[in-house]
Amino acid sequence: MENIILGLLLLQSRTIYQLRKRINDGLNLMYSCSTGSIQAAIRKLLQNRYIYVSEITENGKRKKLYRITDSGRLRFYDWLNCPIDNAAAKNPELTKIYFMGFAEKETRIKIIETHIADMKKLRSDLEKICNAGAALSNEMQDNDVLYYQLQTAMYGYDLMKFNIDWYSRLLKNIKEQL
């Protein structure tokens, strides 16, 4: 969470509300968060002086605006320049499939059908992000940050297609066994 916050603050200063909204709107495939997890990460980042806070007044309301420091930039780039960790690609939800044989067959079908529907909704949302990102990318041709953000959304879109296809085959096999 700390690196996500540093990266988002590298793009622009934000309030906790803006951080949570940005994570939920564009990064939720990679990371889910709560206000509490963001606040805990913010406290740690403040304690280590990777970010600082200032108060602003907007529409008559006082808000805390968080900004990245030079040491926060260094920490972010140290993290960014490390190799990608393949162990982080694990999917703990697959353990539910691993133990699915203990569930009633009708329950298995219902769980998998619901999961497929949820993934289709997420894929539709990712398609909108990809289309908007592609249009914006055409306008801002030399923007490396936007390019890689778009690639991440496209990865999520393709991953959802793979998962939908895989779970659909599993569902078909389960239904054939009835």
Side-chain angles (χ1 to χ4, degrees):
M1 176 58 70
E2 293 161 25
N3 291 318
I4 290 172
I5 291 171
L6 289 174
L8 290 174
L9 294 179
L10 195 59
L11 292 168
Q12 72 180 58
S13 302
R14 299 171 196 258
T15 64
I16 286 181
Y17 171 79
Q18 291 168 327
L19 286 166
R20 182 159 191 229
K21 182 165 177 22
R22 183 64 183 98
I23 292 168
N24 287 337
D25 289 350
L27 300 169
N28 60 352
L29 179 64
M30 297 167 277
Y31 209 93
S32 59
C33 71
S34 66
T35 302
S37 64
I38 292 173
Q39 289 172 333
I42 290 282
R43 279 192 299 275
K44 192 171 181 182
L45 291 167
L46 284 167
Q47 182 180 5
N48 291 315
R49 297 194 169 130
Y50 294 136
I51 63 172
Y52 67 97
V53 62
S54 59
E55 289 201 16
I56 61 168
T57 303
E58 189 176 278
N59 297 328
K61 294 181 182 178
R62 294 176 63 122
K63 297 181 179 185
K64 291 183 178 182
L65 190 65
Y66 296 91
R67 294 183 167 92
I68 193 166
T69 63
D70 288 340
S71 60
R73 281 182 187 15
L74 289 173
R75 176 168 184 245
F76 177 78
Y77 285 117
D78 284 346
W79 167 78
L80 187 62
N81 292 320
C82 288
I84 294 172
D85 181 8
N86 288 326
K90 294 179 180 169
N91 182 348
E93 280 298 305
L94 279 177
T95 56
K96 191 171 278 191
I97 300 302
Y98 184 82
F99 291 113
M100 186 77 52
F102 290 111
E104 298 290 326
K105 286 186 180 183
E106 293 302 321
T107 301
R108 296 173 202 165
I109 290 170
K110 183 179 175 186
I111 289 170
I112 294 170
E113 284 175 340
T114 301
H115 188 52
I116 291 170
D118 291 345
M119 288 188 295
K120 285 181 177 179
K121 168 71 171 96
L122 180 56
R123 187 163 189 251
S124 174
D125 293 345
L126 286 166
E127 183 176 27
K128 291 173 189 166
I129 291 170
C130 289
N131 290 340
L136 190 56
S137 177
N138 288 336
E139 294 173 22
M140 305 171 65
Q141 297 203 344
D142 292 330
N143 189 327
D144 286 346
V145 173
L146 182 60
Y147 173 80
Y148 286 99
Q149 289 175 348
L150 178 59
Q151 294 308 306
T152 305
M154 291 171 67
Y155 169 84
Y157 179 81
D158 290 344
L159 180 62
M160 282 302 108
K161 180 180 182 340
F162 170 81
N163 283 330
I164 291 166
D165 291 346
W166 189 89
Y167 277 94
S168 295
R169 284 192 306 274
L170 176 63
L171 181 62
K172 180 181 176 215
N173 291 338
I174 292 169
K175 286 180 175 180
E176 287 174 354
Q177 293 174 5
L178 288 179

